[in-house]
């Protein structure tokens, strides 16, 4: 019986074992050590960031970034509505309110025009947000130049949630490196993984130093245990950093494989009406971390959910596009600007299996099911 095809499973190669064995041999298995230091340095070079801090998750990185740009109780933070809840939860950790901004269609990311409208309206009312969180979805950068320009005019710091976008580009640069801070994730389903982990990057060395202190239980510089701030246990272990170093070396191979998956699907389904793949915006490289498309029921002959369930019956994992945050019960009371684009993408959007370890046979199985649904079989 064919094995289950997962949406985006971890893809380990031959290098990880050697790095991990080195960590065990040296007895550096705690949340510090030579692999952590090297991973931070190598990652910073990879994305072109001046400073980087390895952490236990991308969520932890976003939490620290928000706190260190001054977000606190009673503040507002503008954030993309089409995203995973981890982009919003840390705003609530700090007692602030998320204000949701709709997507544009060129990249499915935060709409710069709507962001500017919201900032202008808030400037007139005297209630500017404390920060803006821009999410780079599914392996593609948002249109950063107008977003950064609008925020600079109002002196609002930008935090980039690039958890899904490692390996992508915006006008030749890595997203996650243009704002006050950038956040990356190495969760098991990401383009490279440490099983769980994240990275905080910033051009601000002081921000990274302070984040390091907070991530290490905010211990003051004293021979005894002394604390003048509330801290967190957010550091990445040396063992997981060892895995990350090995994974980072094959990042370009992983990007090529995932882009190849999307190209394969696009060719194999080119004659099927009603399927539209997430566009690749003209400003940079889309990694196709996940291959996503929308299904037009009138033209295709079935809706997105019918396709997903048909795939599941064949032991193939597919998922709807993110449900917008403004539609989530936990966040439904918060304000938003727009929302129709994100709602349409959720209603019709589907993520197909996209792992860099998929075989041609795996891809054919997916294609065959999608075609069968279209043909009414």
């Amino acid at each position: 019986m064919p094995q289950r095809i997962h949406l985006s499973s971890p893809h380990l190669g031959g290098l990880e074992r050697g790095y991990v064995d080195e960590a065990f041999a040296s007895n550096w298995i705690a949340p510090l050590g030579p692999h952590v230091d090297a991973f931070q340095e190598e990652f910073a070079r990879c994305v072109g960031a001046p400073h980087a801090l390895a952490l236990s998750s991308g969520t932890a990185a976003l939490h620290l970034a928000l706190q260190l740009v001054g977000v606190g109780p009673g503040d507002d933070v503008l954030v993309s509505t089409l995203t995973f809840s981890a982009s919003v939860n840390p705003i609530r950790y700090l007692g602030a309110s998320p204000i949701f901004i709709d997507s544009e269609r060129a990249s499915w990311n935060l709409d710069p025009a709507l962001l500017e409208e919201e900032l202008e309206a808030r400037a007139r009312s005297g209630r500017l947000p404390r920060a803006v969180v821009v999410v780079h979805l599914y392996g593609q950068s948002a249109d950063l130049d107008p977003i950064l320009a609008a925020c600079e005019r109002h002196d609002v710091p930008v935090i980039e949630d690039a958890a899904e976008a490692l390996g992508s580009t915006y006008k030749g640069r890595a997203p996650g490196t243009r704002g006050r801070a950038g956040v990356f994730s190495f969760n098991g389903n990401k383009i490279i993984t440490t099983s769980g982990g994240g990275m905080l990057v910033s051009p601000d060395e002081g921000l990274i130093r302070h984040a390091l202190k907070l991530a290490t239980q905010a211990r003051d510089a004293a021979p005894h245990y002394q604390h003048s701030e509330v801290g967190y246990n957010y550091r990445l272990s040396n063992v997981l950093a060892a895995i990350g170093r090995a994974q980072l070396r094959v990042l370009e191979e992983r990007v090529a494989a995932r882009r190849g998956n999307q190209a394969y699907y696009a060719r194999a389904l080119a004659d099927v009406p009603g399927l539209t793949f997430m566009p690749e915006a003209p400003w940079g490289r889309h990694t196709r971390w996940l291959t996503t498309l929308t299904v037009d029921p009138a033209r295709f002959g079935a809706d997105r959910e019918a396709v997903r369930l048909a795939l599941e019956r064949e032991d193939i994992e597919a998922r709807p596009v993110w449900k917008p945050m403004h539609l989530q019960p936990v966040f439904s009371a918060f304000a938003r600007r727009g929302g129709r684009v994100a709602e349409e993408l959720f209603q019709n959007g589907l993520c197909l299996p996209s792992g860099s370890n998929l075989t041609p046979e795996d891809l054919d199985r997916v294609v065959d099911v999608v075609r069968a649904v279209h043909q009414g079989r």
Side-chain angles (χ1 to χ4, degrees), residues 103-188:
S103 300
E104 44 77 19
R105 296 187 186 277
S107 70
W108 298 13
N109 286 302
L110 184 145
D111 187 325
L114 292 181
L115 173 67
E116 184 163 17
E117 287 179 14
E118 184 68 20
L119 288 171
E120 293 290 343
R122 287 174 166 272
R124 289 191 297 270
S125 68
R127 187 172 174 81
L128 283 167
R130 183 65 66 178
V132 170
V133 176
V134 180
V135 182
H136 305 295
L137 277 177
Y138 294 127
Q140 177 157 251
S141 175
D143 191 3
L144 281 169
D145 281 350
I147 291 170
L148 292 168
C151 291
E152 185 175 358
R153 282 194 294 275
H154 296 283
D155 196 27
V156 176
V158 173
I159 298 171
E160 297 180 66
D161 181 346
E164 301 177 7
L166 178 60
S168 64
T169 62
Y170 179 79
K171 298 183 178 179
R173 291 181 59 180
T177 62
R178 297 281 304 279
R180 180 76 187 281
V183 171
F184 296 86
S185 171
F186 311 121
N187 192 31

Side-chain angles (χ1 to χ4, degrees), residues 186-197:
F186 311 121
N187 192 31
N189 65 351
K190 296 300 188 292
I191 199 160
I192 67 168
T193 184
T194 58
S195 80

